[in-house]
Amino acid sequence: MTRIVDLLGDQPTLSFEFFPPADEVAAKQLDETLNELTGLAPSFVSVTCGVGGDGHDRTRDIVTDICRDRPFPAMAHLTCVGHTRQGVTDLLDDYAAAGVVNILALAGDPPDGSAISGDFRYASELVEVVRAHPAEFSVGVAAHPEVHPRSENRTTDRRHLAAKLNEADFAITQFFFDPADYTRLCNELADLGCHQPVVPGVMPVIWPKSIRRYAKMNGSTVPEALFARLESLPGPDRIKAAAEAATELSQTLLDASAPGIHLYTLNRPEASTLIAELLSH
């Protein structure tokens, strides 16, 4: 199975993120989306898990199915909140047995703002456990171009991120809308001696209301003019306009030497398909 770190080289990657469906209707939608996006020959895909680490079993099953049935690797999101070291090790054993070799190690958020529980507190601790596994996983971590919302300040955030990323293979960012935030992040990491690849995550704003809520949780700044314009458009026109805006951001990032683009699909194919087509021209 292909290791994502080996893909981040001379040619920019294109990858997609999905979330585990909650019911059979949503599962059918995900399968249809995967079928359509498979035609775009993505470099890899990733599958999230729920708040507080909920849904790791569903994530495992979907990632395993994709790696078995699709012509590209799938990376499993693995959060440490609420989990024991033994539980994480058991899950890694499952992934290794299924031939899954790519893990995105995340701290995760406790449910409903409750206190952090389990054997871990920080994603860096989870990276250590994944690295120690004999399967020799390719390990990714998360980066926040606008600073993690729970960080004390920018300096501390970047220092912790550089230390974590130097123990991993690459990072994928939280979504953002100003390319200057990504460039500044990469420059700050380089100043700290960290040169691991950082793949920017791009969110096409197909559902402005929901994405406003995600942005508030993640500390992402919302460009009001863009959101106001998209909120005024009917569905098909909004998808087209959202894809065009995301394409412009993606191309700017690629021109700034980003190693690839990771698209948040929200389990829908339309915007991602259009973005891929526009980027190929």
Side-chain angles (χ1 to χ4, degrees):
M1 184 59 65
T2 303
R3 292 162 55 87
I4 290 170
V5 65
D6 296 330
L7 299 173
L8 300 174
D10 296 334
Q11 296 297 320
T13 57
L14 177 65
S15 53
F16 304 117
E17 181 170 297
F18 307 103
F19 60 84
D23 53 39
E24 290 186 7
V25 173
K28 182 179 179 181
Q29 173 61 53
L30 174 58
D31 195 53
E32 292 173 353
T33 297
L34 277 165
N35 287 338
E36 182 160 343
L37 295 183
T38 293
L40 300 176
S43 307
F44 64 93
V45 302
S46 72
V47 182
T48 70
C49 56
V51 173
D54 179 57
H56 272 154
D57 289 349
R58 287 187 298 153
T59 299
R60 179 198 58 207
D61 293 345
I62 295 168
V63 167
T64 298
D65 288 348
I66 292 173
C67 287
R68 183 190 63 230
D69 299 334
R70 306 282 176 173
F72 44 79
M75 174 172 62
H77 289 218
L78 179 59
T79 59
C80 59
V81 166
H83 290 279
T84 64
R85 287 179 178 271
Q86 186 59 55
V88 166
T89 299
D90 290 344
L91 188 57
L92 292 173
D93 288 344
D94 289 346
Y95 281 125
V100 176
V101 298
N102 298 291
I103 300 290
L104 189 66
L106 308 165
D109 298 310
D112 302 321
S114 59
I116 294 175
S117 62
D119 290 344
F120 304 92
R121 182 173 179 85
Y122 301 110
S124 56
E125 299 170 289
L126 181 57
V127 171
E128 293 177 4
V129 174
V130 179
R131 274 288 189 229
H133 195 280
E136 298 183 350
F137 293 101
S138 178
V139 186
V141 295
H144 288 70
E146 298 173 78
V147 178
H148 193 287
R150 294 198 297 270
S151 289
E152 296 176 11
N153 53 59
R154 190 178 200 91
T155 300
T156 301
D157 178 90
R158 295 312 188 228
R159 189 162 55 245
H160 287 320
L161 174 58
K164 177 179 68 172
L165 184 49
N166 277 329
E167 297 301 318
D169 294 312
F170 61 92
I172 293 180
T173 78
Q174 184 52 260
F175 69 84
F176 60 97
F177 298 98
D178 186 345
D181 290 322
Y182 173 80
T183 302
R184 183 178 180 184
L185 166 67
C186 293
N187 289 338
E188 289 168 340
L189 288 172
D191 289 343
L192 293 168
C194 180
H195 301 282
Q196 302 286 58
V198 178
V199 181
V202 173
M203 174 74 84
V205 187
I206 56 177
W207 293 320
K209 183 177 179 180
S210 295
I211 295 169
R212 277 186 183 277
R213 187 172 69 252
Y214 302 153
K216 184 176 181 180
M217 292 173 10
N218 299 331
S220 301
T221 302
V222 168
E224 290 297 340
L226 171 64
F227 272 61
R229 179 166 66 88
L230 294 172
E231 286 166 341
S232 70
L233 296 173
D237 292 340
R238 185 172 64 245
I239 290 172
K240 181 174 182 294
E244 290 171 344
T247 300
E248 181 179 357
L249 172 59
S250 297
Q251 189 61 61
T252 300
L253 294 166
L254 292 171
D255 291 343
S257 300
I261 299 296
H262 189 64
L263 294 177
Y264 293 86
T265 68
L266 301 178
N267 288 16
R268 303 291 304 190
E270 298 87 356
S272 295
T273 299
L274 183 53
I275 293 166
E277 292 174 351
L278 291 171
L279 286 174
S280 68
H281 292 162

